[in-house]
Amino acid sequence: VTSDIRVLTEPDDLNRAFEVFAVGLGLTLPAGTDAAELTEPGRVLGAFVPGPDGGPDDLVGTASAFTSWLIVPGGARVGQGALTDVGVLPTHTRRGLATAMLRRQLEEISARGESIATLRASEATIYERFGFGAASSLVSAELLVDRARPRPTLPAAGPVRYVEPDEAGELMPRIYDRVGFVGATGRPERWWRAQAWFGAATASAARRVVVHGVPGAEDGFLRYHSTSTNWMAPDPTLVVDDLVATTPEALSGLLRFLSSIDLVARVVLPKLPLDHGLEELLLDRRAIRTTGVSDETWLRLVDVEAALAARTYALSAPAGAGAGTAVTIEVRDRQLPTNDGGYRVEASGVKRTEDAPDLSTDVAALGAAYLGGVSWRQLALAGRVREHTPGALAAADALFRTTRPPFAGTMF
Ligand SMILES: CC(C)(COP(=O)(O)OP(=O)(O)OC[C@H]1O[C@@H](n2cnc3c(N)ncnc32)[C@H](O)[C@@H]1OP(=O)(O)O)[C@@H](O)C(=O)NCCC(=O)NCCS
């Protein structure tokens, strides 16, 4: 189909693009939505097709990005393009519009010098073809408040208090900026604005913010909403939309708070890391139960060499596990062929090489392995990597492994 991919700048086009995205995802936009407030100038694309009867072109698809960072193993904050709001009108799907928009976004991300792109996928079958791999996971869990008693050995907590939107709007980004875990994703001002907008669009109940720590030294917060509008509801439930604890004291204080709210039977925690370990913090470890595990960060290396060089290797390799071994990985990248080639990875760094490869893979599988969330062994079981040199998979695992599973906890 003849289509034209354009950067959208006019407020009407931006709003129309939001509408197209909403139709694609079956959402209803709240009245008064102003797309210009929620998107980054210059990073919203529209796909146009010729209008009926030779009239003006119709905007039928959209794909946006925003400027962000990603914490990679070793702790560096690497510039990334965060892809979001991808949608094509149901009348115009399966004719290559998403492909054309994603190609353009990847070129744009590359031109901006961002070596990584990430996204959250509505379906797990869409993005591998564009070079993305599922690189981190989310756990959802439920806390049964009546049974939840934090262990008395938890670190002494500071005060917790409710904050009003204005103060919350200032405090939350400040606290969030201190996070240091692998997979953490930068939240620009527009992301915070989009949260407020999304809250208004999806929940009838009010959103509340509770912070931990003495004023001036706050170190954690949670945002939550209640799903019941009636205090006599049979199973009063509270949903934690965001839980950020940058110290053990903050986690202790926020967990104590959640375990002690009157008139709440269940607390739903939809965004926890795989290794959250909250069971260990409770006297009755069955007061919290896992309700699901899902893929979270879909990651693409846009500049393979720069991205590989940005992380560290062999952080936690046990002695003798091959940490000292170099592994040469041959990478194939259909969309961005400048990435094709061999990369020699070792604890001291990464460089391009013409040497015969020890492993061969494609850029999507490399994206899955990049943060340490998926092992090379698993990728080999799936037939997504070929081992040419015996022992190379184990050596690559020793290099790529991280101490904690990657996690973002940030939806976009
Ligand atoms: C997902 C979506 C953007 C794809 O748009 P599209 O213009 O139809 O995609 P394309 O025509 O470029 O498809 C490219 C390829 O992906 C495949 N594909 C697209 N959407 C797919 C899906 N949902 N599941 C499986 N495969 C899909 C196509 O079959 C095609 O495969 P091919 O290259 O082997 O022929 C569109 O279906 C949509 O808007 N869906 C609803 C909203 C949504 O899920 N957005 C994503 C938010 S993360």
Side-chain angles (χ1 to χ4, degrees):
V1 68
T2 5
S3 67
D4 191 15
I5 310 301
R6 300 176 200 155
V7 176
L8 305 181
T9 51
E10 297 306 315
D12 283 354
D13 283 345
L14 292 169
N15 282 326
R16 170 75 188 140
F18 248 49
E19 194 60 46
V20 164
F21 170 67
V23 176
L25 256 100
L27 300 172
T28 304
L29 295 181
T33 296
D34 179 2
E37 285 273 297
L38 303 171
T39 52
E40 183 171 327
R43 300 201 79 164
V44 182
L45 298 182
F48 290 82
V49 295
D53 305 327
D57 292 350
D58 278 340
L59 200 174
V60 296
T62 185
S64 295
F66 64 85
T67 306
S68 175
W69 44 255
L70 178 79
I71 299 189
V72 302
R77 288 185 176 190
V78 176
Q80 68 155 332
L83 288 167
T84 188
D85 301 344
V86 178
V88 174
L89 283 185
T91 46
H92 289 74
T93 49
R94 307 304 179 269
R95 33 180 116 171
L97 296 182
T99 303
M101 291 189 293
L102 279 160
R103 184 184 304 128
R104 177 77 174 271
Q105 282 289 5
L106 291 178
E107 286 166 9
E108 185 69 17
I109 286 168
S110 169
R112 286 171 186 261
E114 294 160 337
S115 54
I116 292 172
T118 66
L119 54 78
R120 306 287 177 262
S122 60
E123 294 182 72
T125 46
I126 303 175
Y127 293 102
E128 201 171 293
R129 75 188 74 243
F130 303 116
F132 289 80
S136 79
S137 304
L138 267 187
V139 167
S140 58
E142 267 183 16
L143 185 74
L144 305 173
V145 175
D146 282 348
R147 289 168 62 180
R149 279 191 298 140
R151 287 181 177 272
T153 47
L154 254 58
V160 290
R161 68 180 203 280
Y162 282 94
V163 288
E164 293 303 314
D166 277 357
E167 190 184 1
E170 186 258 318
L171 274 179
M172 291 190 295
R174 179 142 55 84
I175 297 168
Y176 185 77
D177 200 46
R178 295 171 47 181
V179 300
F181 52 89
V182 171
T185 289
R187 300 172 166 185
E189 206 190 316
R190 276 185 173 71
W191 183 89
W192 291 100
R193 258 186 253 151
Q195 291 302 294
W197 167 82
F198 192 70
T202 53
S204 50
R207 310 259 155 172
R208 315 262 180 224
V209 177
V210 171
V211 298
H212 172 271
V214 293
E218 294 88 349
D219 54 2
F221 67 86
L222 53 87
R223 292 189 288 147
Y224 75 81
H225 70 274
S226 165
T227 59
S228 39
T229 47
N230 172 359
W231 61 271
M232 293 201 301
D235 186 26
T237 300
L238 184 154
V239 179
V240 175
D241 302 303
D242 204 3
L243 169 61
V244 174
T246 64
T247 62
E249 291 74 20
L251 183 61
S252 163
L254 295 171
L255 183 64
R256 283 174 208 270
F257 167 77
L258 289 174
S259 308
S260 68
I261 310 179
D262 292 335
L263 297 176
V264 173
R266 278 187 307 151
V267 173
V268 174
L269 295 147
K271 289 180 230 133
L272 294 173
L274 274 176
D275 67 340
H276 65 77
L278 289 177
E279 299 85 358
E280 308 304 334
L281 276 56
L282 299 171
L283 283 171
D284 176 356
R285 58 185 300 117
R286 297 184 193 167
I288 187 160
R289 58 168 178 246
T290 296
T291 50
V293 180
S294 58
D295 52 273
E296 186 197 36
T297 304
W298 284 75
L299 186 149
R300 194 200 203 284
L301 306 188
V302 177
D303 179 337
V304 169
E305 187 177 9
L308 285 178
R311 64 156 287 182
T312 59
Y313 297 90
L315 284 179
S316 57
T325 318
V327 175
T328 295
I329 305 172
E330 177 186 41
V331 179
R332 273 166 288 105
D333 187 341
R334 276 193 302 140
Q335 283 90 18
L336 301 172
T338 50
N339 285 324
D340 280 339
Y343 299 85
R344 184 183 156 91
V345 180
E346 57 190 319
S348 59
V350 174
K351 57 175 184 286
R352 276 192 177 250
T353 175
E354 304 280 313
D355 293 353
D358 303 309
L359 300 175
S360 297
T361 192
D362 67 17
V363 74
L366 183 64
Y370 178 69
L371 296 178
V374 178
S375 68
W376 287 99
R377 182 183 150 272
Q378 267 169 321
L379 292 168
L381 288 174
R384 298 180 67 187
V385 54
R386 291 218 333 267
E387 185 182 52
H388 309 292
T389 311
L393 284 170
D397 275 331
L399 287 166
F400 278 73
R401 187 180 298 133
T402 51
T403 43
R404 293 190 57 185
F407 169 71
T410 299
M411 263 312 280
F412 54 87

